[in-house]
């Protein structure tokens, strides 16, 4: 990916009580980590919860050098990649190690890596001494456009995803698009699905742009990436500013996620299905539900499917190497944290660029939809096997 002529952009997240923080987006942003850390802590050390990939690809080396240039030494706590690290065990282990190493209230914490480390590190920051300063440094496309912004932190429980956590806003978010050089194609596609989500729920103009330029985003075109990341962050910042604690409009950010979390729970949070892949399939399921409810048209669904495919992301269960069961998936949906008085709250798209939250979805239809998707997946796979022979 060429990086010529790209300038750093800043998106501000304005919150109530005159609180706000900035998201800095561009190339070379990692080199500013020391400067930002210096404004947050007077201490000569900082806690760094870092994804193993950020270490392996030497992205953290850049951050470390920046910190040392201002007299701050990072205490590094490495985390294995994957959803398995968003656990009570990992949370407890790192907390105990940090406390044993010594900590005081003016300590700051860097969470660097993908969404797993961002959520885990953020929850650790919210818990230590009832809250210390947090710097989010997301290094995957998905975490850059979604999980690093908005203050949702947490870990998974055996019953479901993100059931334990806290709303805890970072002091600053540093997004360096250079880190995407080392991101596998599949993970780029996973992040792309979350980008499409913003167009579906609030921004038809952005969706139309993605419909023409989505392949450039997925292929890492620097200008397309910069625009997509900045627009996604601005969409989320606007929604979070209006509804920080998800009492209303912020729930729209969960488009496709009720389906996605059931898929992830069923596949036991393994690499069989990445989060963005599950979201992609979930968005399509949401549109099929909306069509059944008379709120979207089949032409909307076809456009969304085409737009997602530009990003090379999975769009059907037939692309997932797993044997699904409609009963299991439907039961898993009731483990979702958005359950209210025994009813599941779905985000239902009304065409493209608009959506609504509803708990009036017919669960018999949802079960039938899962069943139909599973049958279609088996039929497609059988056809593929026949063509192969």
């Amino acid at each position: 990916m060429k990086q010529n002529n790209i300038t750093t952009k800043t998106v501000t997240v304005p919150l109530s009580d005159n609180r706000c923080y900035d998201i800095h987006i561009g190339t070379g942003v990692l080199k500013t980590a020391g400067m930002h850390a210096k404004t947050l802590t007077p201490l000569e050390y900082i806690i760094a919860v870092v994804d193993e990939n950020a270490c392996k690809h030497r992205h953290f080396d850049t951050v470390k050098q920046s910190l040392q240039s201002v007299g701050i030494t990072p205490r590094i706590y490495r985390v294995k990649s994957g959803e398995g690290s968003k656990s009570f065990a990992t949370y407890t282990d790192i907390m105990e190690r940090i406390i044993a190493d010594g900590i005081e209230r003016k300590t700051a914490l860097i969470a660097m890596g993908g969404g797993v480390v961002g959520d885990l590190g953020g929850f650790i920051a919210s818990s230590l001494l009832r809250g210390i300063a947090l710097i989010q440094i997301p290094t995957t496309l998905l975490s850059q456009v979604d999980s690093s912004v908005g203050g949702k932190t947490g870990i998974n429980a055996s019953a479901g995803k993100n059931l334990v956590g806290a709303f805890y806003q970072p002091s600053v978010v540093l997004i360096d698009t250079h880190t995407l050089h080392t991101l596998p194609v599949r993970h780029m596609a996973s992040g792309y699905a979350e980008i499409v989500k913003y167009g579906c729920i609030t921004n038809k103009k952005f969706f139309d742009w993605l419909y023409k330029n989505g392949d450039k985003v997925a292929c890492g075109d620097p200008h397309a990436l910069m625009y997509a990341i900045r627009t996604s962050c601005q969409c989320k910042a606007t929604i979070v500013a209006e509804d920080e604690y998800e009492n209303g409009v912020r729930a729209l950010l969960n488009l496709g996620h009720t389906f996605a979390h059931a898929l992830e729970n069923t596949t036991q949070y393994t690499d069989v299905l990445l989060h963005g892949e599950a979201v992609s399939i979930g968005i399509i399921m949401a549109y099929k539900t909306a069509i059944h409810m008379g709120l979207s048209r089949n032409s909307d669904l076809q456009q969304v499917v085409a737009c997602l495919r530009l990003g090379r992301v999975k769009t059907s269960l037939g692309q997932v190497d797993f044997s699904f069961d409609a009963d299991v998936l439907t039961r898993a949906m009731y483990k979702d944290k958005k359950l209210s008085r025994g009813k599941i709250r779905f985000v239902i798209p009304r065409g493209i660029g608009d959506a609504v939250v509803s708990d009036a979805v017919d669960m018999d239809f949802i079960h039938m939809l899962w069943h139909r998707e599973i049958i279609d997946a088996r039929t497609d796979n059988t056809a593929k096997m026949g063509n192969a022979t």
Side-chain angles (χ1 to χ4, degrees):
M1 294 182 287
K2 294 181 180 179
Q3 307 294 335
N4 297 334
N5 302 319
I6 292 186
T7 57
T8 300
K9 301 289 186 180
T10 299
V11 173
T12 299
V13 183
L15 301 171
S16 60
D17 302 324
N18 295 317
R19 293 175 298 134
C20 69
Y21 60 91
D22 290 333
I23 308 164
H24 300 286
I25 310 163
T27 56
V29 174
L30 295 185
K31 296 177 182 178
T32 69
M35 175 188 71
H36 291 289
K38 197 70 174 176
T39 66
L40 295 174
T41 177
L43 304 178
E44 295 180 350
Y45 73 92
I46 195 168
I47 296 166
V49 180
V50 186
D51 181 281
E52 62 183 359
N53 286 327
C55 293
K56 181 176 72 174
H57 297 302
R58 307 194 70 175
H59 299 314
F60 184 70
D61 287 355
T62 303
V63 172
K64 182 179 179 180
Q65 291 169 9
S66 178
L67 292 167
Q68 291 175 333
S69 71
V70 296
I72 297 176
T73 300
R75 295 179 181 174
I76 307 167
Y77 302 86
R78 289 181 175 83
V79 177
K80 289 184 179 180
S81 300
E83 283 285 336
S85 290
K86 272 180 63 172
S87 65
F88 282 103
T90 305
Y91 169 77
T92 302
D93 175 63
I94 294 178
M95 288 285 283
E96 293 285 5
R97 288 162 55 197
I98 290 172
I99 293 168
D101 291 340
I103 182 175
E104 53 188 282
R105 188 166 296 281
K106 291 185 178 180
T107 305
L109 184 147
I110 288 172
M112 182 175 185
V116 166
V117 167
D119 285 0
L120 173 68
F123 188 41
I124 290 170
S126 76
S127 307
L128 284 167
L129 306 182
R130 297 192 177 93
I132 61 174
L134 170 64
I135 301 174
Q136 286 279 11
I137 308 182
T139 58
T140 66
L141 184 57
L142 192 149
S143 59
Q144 289 179 356
V145 301
D146 186 59
S147 57
S148 65
V149 178
K152 277 189 177 181
T153 71
I155 56 177
N156 301 331
S158 58
K161 187 166 181 173
N162 298 327
L163 294 180
V164 179
F167 286 99
Y168 193 71
Q169 300 292 346
S171 297
V172 66
V173 181
L174 306 179
I175 296 176
D176 196 324
T177 56
H178 182 75
T179 64
L180 302 179
H181 279 288
T182 55
L183 198 64
V185 171
R186 187 181 172 202
H187 287 259
M188 281 290 289
S190 181
Y192 175 80
E194 290 280 7
I195 292 173
V196 173
K197 174 192 73 178
Y198 292 108
C200 291
I201 61 173
T202 64
N203 195 328
K204 177 66 162 57
K205 182 179 179 181
F206 183 41
F207 180 89
D208 291 341
W209 181 88
L210 286 169
Y211 196 71
K212 296 177 182 178
N213 298 281
D215 55 340
K216 294 180 182 178
V217 176
C219 291
D221 176 86
H223 296 281
L225 261 180
M226 188 74 172
Y227 179 76
I229 294 171
R230 177 168 56 88
T231 305
S232 297
C233 287
Q234 186 61 68
C235 286
K236 186 160 189 180
T238 300
I239 290 174
V240 170
E242 182 178 344
D243 179 23
E244 182 177 356
Y245 299 107
E246 199 169 306
N247 294 313
V249 68
R250 183 167 179 168
L252 297 179
L253 293 169
N254 294 313
L255 175 66
H257 284 59
T258 300
F259 295 100
H261 289 168
L263 289 166
E264 290 179 282
N265 181 269
T266 302
T267 54
Q268 300 181 321
Y269 308 108
T270 63
D271 283 348
V272 167
L273 190 65
L274 300 179
H275 176 67
E277 293 171 338
V279 168
S280 174
I281 295 169
I283 289 172
I284 292 169
M285 298 280 283
Y287 269 92
K288 290 180 178 180
T289 304
I291 291 170
H292 173 73
M293 297 174 71
L295 297 176
S296 286
R297 300 168 298 179
N298 191 60
S299 58
D300 299 322
L301 171 63
Q302 297 308 314
Q303 276 192 291
V304 170
V305 171
C307 191
L308 286 165
R309 286 177 176 169
L310 286 176
R312 306 174 189 176
V313 65
K314 289 179 171 60
T315 53
S316 72
L317 296 185
Q319 296 170 292
V320 184
D321 186 17
F322 193 86
S323 180
F324 291 103
D325 179 273
D327 291 338
V328 173
L329 286 165
T330 304
R331 284 197 299 269
M333 298 181 87
Y334 283 95
K335 300 175 183 178
D336 194 272
K337 64 183 182 298
K338 295 179 290 298
L339 195 71
S340 177
R341 295 186 178 183
K343 292 186 176 181
I344 300 172
R345 299 171 71 231
F346 289 84
V347 180
I348 305 298
R350 297 187 290 196
I352 296 173
D354 186 25
V356 64
V357 178
S358 174
D359 62 2
V361 176
D362 180 359
M363 290 305 296
D364 288 335
F365 169 78
I366 296 299
H367 183 272
M368 183 195 71
L369 182 58
W370 280 126
H371 182 72
R372 190 169 68 200
E373 294 297 307
I374 292 167
I375 294 299
D376 288 347
R378 291 173 182 167
T379 302
D380 290 345
N381 288 335
T382 300
K384 289 176 185 176
M385 291 176 64
N387 291 335
T389 56

